[in-house]
Amino acid sequence: MTNPILEIKNLNKSFGALKATDDVSITLNAGEIHALIGPNGAGKSTLIKQICGGLSSDSGSVIFNGQDLAGLDVAERAQLGLGRTFQISSVIMEFSALRNVMLAVQANAGTSYRFFKNVRTDKKLVDRAMAILARVELEGRADVSAAELSHGERRQLEIALALALEPKAFLLDEPMAGMGPEGSKRLISFLDGLRKEAPILLIEHDMDAVFSLADRISVLVYGRVVASGTVDEIRNNPAVREAYLGETA
Amino acid sequence: MASLSRETLLNIFLTIGMLALPFVATAIDEPFYITLATRVAILGLAGVGLNLALGTGGLVSFGHAAFFGLGGYAAGILASHALNYTPIMESPFLIEGTNQMLIIWLVAIIVSGIGAYLIGLLSLRTSGVYFIMITLAFAQMIYYFAISWPAYGGEDGLSIYVRNAFPGVNTLDPQGFYFICFALLMAGIWLSATLKNSRFGAALQSARQNEERLSAVGVKPFNIKLTAFVISGMMTGLAGALFADLNRFVSPSMLSWHMSGEIMILVILGGVGRLYGPLAGAIIYIIFEFIFGGMTEHWQFFLGLVLLGVVLFARGGVIGLIAGRARHD
């Protein structure tokens, strides 16, 4: 077996007496979608923050492409190829959809310290960003400011921003959240193809999405991975059914 | 573009007005108006500098007097050594004074840039009220240092007996000096427009709106903000050097928090983040000072009323009031 792209080893994080992340070990291999599920408050968002560098870990390590990410901040980890989306859309509200993606494209190219050329007439930047918007079917809304986009469109923009970074791994935090059934269906088929470009660590509450997309599933409860396995293994795991699926199925 | 926006028209109008003003002043035999216009241009340039940090970057610096004063002292110190034929230092290498504006400006820009770098390095680790307070504290530190440093006049300040020289221009002629200041104001406005539209400007505006997002795409907000703060300080520092030459005098008051407030007030009056906001604000400020200052020494009371009105009813400042809300794209 080849080395995993992303390897989380014995990660811990406590807030006072609360263990938000309790000895979590997860791997993400090339070409797969690894879904992370768990009830609210299970520590999924904490874990994502630890992986992305927004939150320091008490112990344990995050290995990405063979490199220990300890001591690197959010921006440095993004530069290495961690492309994340936020649970609550986090975009530049005053910018159009296009300029949001242009920002990600220039960031990926490492050219944010160019002071003179006007970005609006920067054909290379605009074309690249338009191509990415087209991939998430948002090209028709390119000039609409992010503040005026619908909730679902902003979710698509989140994905576009991650795509623009050409990441080596995606961390998607509830990409389906608040999307209509039609939008979810389209996103599912999009993510299905995306795993060939880079593996996806997918946090998702939409069980239909998880079961149709995931190669592997890990279940997080009170900061601990209580089960990990294929879709069928998780579906038939009694502990999981009790702890989690029983409530939502 | 088929039609110009109202804001562009207003900007053109302000530019032409500023260009015509000295000729009008000469025609109606009111040369003092040229001095007022020079003050407008210089304070406008200081505001353009602050506006880059405050408007584009969202960095509410209450310490820009530090850079204004550093630029002013750079001019004053260089000029006084040139006048006395004494070197500023002899070892490890010789530095002499100069009365050449071009060199003085360069030194003013470098000195205020270094000041902005050091102050930014520490204060940009904070945000919000803490950032305001720390920038204020640093500026006050430099202010008290200037007061207690007798070598360059201390509390009494430092006179520049002859206005510094610029190749090909008689700087003692009010019109000549005015056009130098006006040209630099225009250059500052051009620079801030160019920066805002550049990749760096995109990152800076993102740093103001959503740092989390900017980091997530792989750009460090701190470095972007620090760069903007330094450029901002340099522009305000250059304005300070001009201000020293205008008054032929530098004193610690250029470094005091009143000065920081003055620069901030004119940016807010004109319109935060608007390209010509600082110029519009400076015009209003100077007009108020001139008209009401002649009637009462408490003229700032009236300015305060206007500022209150702007903050409460016209958040886009005067530019916003006339040209409508800022367009975003």
Side-chain angles (χ1 to χ4, degrees):
Chain A
M1 205 181 118
T2 55
N3 285 328
I5 302 276
L6 179 67
E7 189 176 10
I8 293 150
K9 279 200 259 186
N10 310 106
L11 213 56
N12 286 290
K13 181 73 190 177
S14 297
F15 298 106
L18 176 75
K19 281 223 100 178
T21 305
D22 190 356
D23 201 31
V24 170
S25 296
I26 288 176
T27 58
L28 183 66
N29 299 316
E32 75 166 349
I33 293 180
H34 189 154
L36 195 61
I37 63 173
N40 286 326
K44 303 185 295 286
S45 292
T46 303
L47 184 60
I48 284 274
K49 277 188 197 146
Q50 284 174 272
I51 297 171
C52 292
L55 203 59
S56 64
S57 301
D58 297 341
S59 65
S61 54
V62 179
I63 315 283
F64 183 53
N65 257 333
Q67 183 182 352
D68 193 333
L69 297 186
L72 300 184
D73 66 19
V74 177
E76 286 161 340
R77 293 178 193 210
Q79 280 164 17
L80 286 175
L82 270 179
R84 77 169 293 192
T85 66
F86 291 88
Q87 185 179 1
I88 296 161
S89 297
S90 179
V91 295
I92 311 298
M93 283 296 188
E94 289 176 12
F95 280 5
S96 66
L98 179 65
R99 290 211 54 196
N100 266 280
V101 180
M102 280 161 67
L103 175 75
V105 172
Q106 77 174 46
N108 185 43
T111 54
S112 290
Y113 288 92
R114 290 194 185 163
F115 298 95
F116 295 105
K117 192 170 182 182
N118 191 321
V119 287
R120 289 181 191 79
T121 53
D122 193 334
K123 200 166 176 316
K124 245 166 89 180
L125 197 59
V126 174
D127 288 352
R128 176 93 187 98
M130 276 309 279
I132 292 162
L133 277 178
R135 284 192 68 189
V136 298
E137 300 172 19
L138 216 52
E139 75 272 33
R141 304 281 280 164
D143 293 326
V144 180
S145 84
E148 287 161 31
L149 291 176
S150 74
H151 176 82
E153 287 167 339
R154 240 177 261 159
R155 301 307 292 165
Q156 288 165 271
L157 182 56
E158 279 271 331
I159 306 266
L161 290 173
L163 286 175
L165 302 182
E166 301 175 306
K168 297 189 178 71
F170 287 99
L171 299 173
L172 306 184
D173 197 353
E174 298 192 30
M176 317 277 170
M179 274 202 156
E182 184 55 35
S184 293
K185 235 170 89 181
R186 294 233 287 274
L187 187 54
I188 287 172
S189 81
F190 180 77
L191 295 182
D192 196 23
L194 189 62
R195 78 180 96 191
K196 287 194 235 54
E197 287 176 37
I200 301 171
L201 186 64
L202 176 70
I203 292 183
E204 189 49 66
H205 272 303
D206 181 336
M207 283 306 133
D208 291 336
V210 169
F211 286 137
S212 64
L213 281 172
D215 299 293
R216 286 190 295 152
I217 299 176
S218 291
V219 184
L220 207 61
V221 178
Y222 295 122
R224 284 191 82 89
V225 177
V226 296
S228 192
T230 64
V231 172
D232 284 336
E233 284 165 8
I234 295 297
R235 234 198 263 264
N236 299 323
N237 183 321
V240 174
R241 293 182 76 98
E242 191 187 334
Y244 183 47
L245 295 177
E247 301 167 9
T248 53
Chain B
M1 218 184 282
S3 66
L4 297 168
S5 72
R6 279 174 77 164
E7 183 166 349
T8 310
L9 286 172
L10 181 61
N11 294 350
I12 293 171
F13 173 77
L14 287 173
T15 310
I16 295 174
M18 288 292 286
L19 264 175
L21 207 143
F23 300 111
V24 175
T26 309
I28 60 172
D29 204 23
E30 290 278 9
F32 179 62
Y33 287 175
I34 300 177
T35 305
L36 286 182
T38 311
R39 273 177 68 89
V40 167
I42 294 171
L43 289 178
L45 179 61
V48 168
L50 177 63
N51 204 20
L52 180 69
L54 177 65
T56 313
L59 307 170
V60 188
S61 164
F62 200 26
H64 259 51
F67 315 128
F68 196 67
L70 283 174
Y73 269 95
I77 290 171
L78 284 169
S80 75
H81 282 280
L83 188 80
N84 302 330
Y85 300 104
T86 50
I88 293 173
M89 57 185 253
E90 288 177 64
S91 63
F93 42 85
L94 181 74
I95 298 180
E96 292 197 77
T98 176
N99 66 348
Q100 286 301 315
M101 280 190 187
L102 288 171
I103 300 171
I104 287 173
W105 296 345
L106 189 68
V107 173
I109 288 172
I110 292 171
V111 168
S112 49
I114 293 171
Y117 178 79
L118 295 175
I119 292 176
L121 207 56
L122 294 163
S123 49
L124 285 168
R125 298 189 187 280
T126 65
S127 61
V129 176
Y130 300 100
F131 181 75
I132 299 174
M133 286 299 138
I134 287 183
T135 49
L136 170 66
F138 275 117
Q140 287 300 96
M141 267 170 57
I142 300 176
Y143 168 70
Y144 286 113
F145 178 76
I147 281 186
S148 58
W149 195 26
Y152 294 109
E155 213 171 346
D156 298 330
L158 185 62
S159 288
I160 302 173
Y161 292 100
V162 181
R163 189 173 286 157
N164 294 303
F166 187 89
V169 179
N170 176 11
T171 55
L172 293 172
D173 167 34
Q175 249 187 44
F177 185 60
Y178 169 77
F179 279 112
I180 289 175
C181 296
F182 177 73
L184 288 175
L185 169 68
M186 285 296 130
I189 289 178
W190 171 84
L191 180 67
S192 70
T194 304
L195 288 177
K196 193 175 177 185
N197 289 324
S198 70
R199 293 187 184 205
F200 172 75
L204 180 59
Q205 292 173 68
S206 305
R208 165 170 55 83
Q209 297 175 56
N210 190 342
E211 282 194 26
E212 179 189 55
R213 169 44 76 191
L214 187 61
S215 326
V217 296
V219 179
K220 296 184 184 196
F222 180 85
N223 295 353
I224 293 284
K225 289 191 290 188
L226 183 58
T227 308
F229 196 70
V230 169
I231 300 172
S232 165
M234 286 173 160
M235 285 206 259
T236 302
L238 175 61
L242 295 174
F243 197 69
D245 250 329
L246 171 67
N247 301 326
R248 284 180 248 176
F249 179 65
V250 191
S251 79
S253 71
M254 274 182 82
L255 289 157
S256 83
W257 66 271
H258 298 94
M259 195 68 230
S260 296
E262 212 170 290
I263 302 172
M264 191 182 283
I265 285 169
L266 61 91
V267 171
I268 294 170
L269 274 180
V272 175
R274 309 302 279 259
L275 194 55
Y276 273 66
L279 175 57
I283 292 171
I284 295 168
Y285 191 90
I286 296 298
I287 289 177
F288 260 72
E289 190 184 47
F290 181 61
I291 294 177
F292 294 106
M295 298 177 194
T296 162
E297 60 180 299
H298 304 297
W299 65 275
Q300 285 176 329
F301 172 78
F302 299 102
L303 188 75
L305 286 181
V306 172
L307 186 66
L308 204 62
V310 164
V311 171
L312 287 176
F313 305 112
R315 298 295 286 271
V318 173
I319 300 273
L321 207 60
I322 299 173
R325 286 191 53 204
R327 277 174 53 241
H328 297 298
D329 57 353

